[in-house]
Amino acid sequence: MKLAFSTLGVPGLPVPDVLALASEHGYHGVELRAHPEEPVHPGLSPAERADVAALFRGSGIEPLCVAGYARVAAPGDDAAVLGELRGLLRLAHDLGAPFVRVFPGGEGPHEEADAIAARRLGTAAEDASALGVRILLETHDSHRTGADAIRVLGPVGHRQVGALWDVMHTWLGGEQPAQTYAALAPQLGYVQVKDIASAEDSTPLPLGAGVLPLTECVEVLSRGGWDGWLCWEYEKRWYEQAAPLPGLLTAGRDHLLRLLGEAA
């Protein structure tokens, strides 16, 4: 498996500095938080996109994903959500990133939210296919577990639409790692790892210092023969009191490599 970290852990850090951190600490890729307050977002000009892509190529670090904020199950007009999603797809294509992350964001009865999300993702799948980018629905908010996500992904049934497994949200949803993997394996794009103190305190901690079942997750993935990406999403942007991520990156890498070695 390859290792990455999210720029959510280094808010606002310029791309060259992000790539230097990845190289220095032994990570293979970076998940790019796509928000206007970050260096990488859909408002970049063609020249700016080309510059970012060139920085990645020159560093040998891979742009894993454009992590957007489109909420595909949210009520409202399809056109606005699809427009946002298509902008993220074009950005990922221009940067050479294989994935775009979207949230569910559903409200009300899950049957209605499922249908809205499946309709939008099915429509956007054709754009994704044309651009060579895959849309990943994260286990999050209204669709926290693998069982929730598959209710949307099953009806879509398109190879360019898959799942992003956030291990915190499936755990908070009461789902065991083996259950999540069984639900998502055919559609799994990659896995976001993290650690927290408890269900009541989600302040990010160093990997292995909290309660999340990272050992079980890695074991399940290894037993399944899955060889994709593990991405550390350290939510520093939302928790100013959390320790700075750069000082934790080497220990985090070593922890994941130890889990992978033990699971082999």
Side-chain angles (χ1 to χ4, degrees):
M1 301 182 203
K2 293 182 178 180
L3 305 182
F5 64 86
S6 169
T7 57
L8 188 64
V10 284
L13 193 67
V15 172
D17 296 336
V18 170
L19 296 175
L21 281 177
S23 296
E24 178 184 353
H25 297 284
Y27 288 78
H28 309 96
V30 173
E31 178 191 87
L32 293 162
R33 178 179 180 243
H35 190 279
E37 68 185 20
E38 297 291 345
V40 177
H41 55 82
L44 294 184
S45 69
E48 290 170 326
R49 295 170 186 227
D51 288 344
V52 173
L55 287 171
F56 271 94
R57 287 193 302 271
S59 70
I61 303 299
E62 298 180 49
L64 171 60
C65 178
V66 168
Y69 288 89
R71 285 168 163 75
V72 295
D77 181 48
D78 283 2
V81 177
L82 289 171
E84 182 179 1
L85 183 44
R86 285 166 177 150
L88 293 166
L89 288 168
R90 287 191 294 271
L91 177 61
H93 170 267
D94 293 346
L95 300 183
F99 302 122
V100 159
R101 186 279 305 278
V102 298
F103 284 146
E107 299 176 16
H110 75 73
E111 295 87 356
E112 182 177 346
D114 293 349
I116 291 171
R119 181 177 70 242
R120 291 169 176 166
L121 288 170
T123 300
E126 298 308 314
D127 298 273
S129 184
L131 292 168
V133 179
R134 195 172 183 209
I135 304 167
L136 301 183
L137 178 68
E138 184 172 328
T139 55
H140 196 274
D141 56 75
S142 62
H143 292 66
R144 176 164 270 180
T145 66
D148 293 331
I150 204 64
R151 294 198 315 264
V152 172
L153 299 176
V156 174
H158 197 289
R159 57 186 169 77
Q160 292 305 116
V161 178
L164 172 49
W165 177 7
D166 181 319
V167 301
M168 181 181 76
H169 285 282
T170 54
W171 179 79
L172 289 172
E175 197 171 62
Q176 296 298 314
Q179 295 173 309
T180 305
Y181 183 71
L184 298 182
Q187 285 92 6
L188 186 59
Y190 68 97
V191 180
Q192 283 181 345
V193 296
K194 59 186 71 172
D195 224 339
I196 58 174
S198 68
E200 296 73 35
D201 182 3
S202 57
T203 304
L205 294 176
L207 294 179
V211 298
L212 293 185
L214 300 181
T215 299
E216 292 89 339
C217 289
V218 171
E219 286 177 349
V220 164
L221 293 166
S222 295
R223 284 201 306 269
W226 189 80
D227 62 353
W229 288 82
L230 299 178
C231 178
W232 187 5
E233 188 188 47
Y234 186 81
E235 297 184 342
K236 175 66 172 175
R237 174 62 183 83
W238 314 126
Y239 297 89
E240 292 187 7
Q241 74 275 23
L245 177 62
L248 307 176
L249 283 170
T250 293
R253 177 206 65 204
D254 290 347
H255 184 72
L256 292 174
L257 290 176
R258 184 163 55 252
L259 295 182
L260 288 166
E262 292 169 354

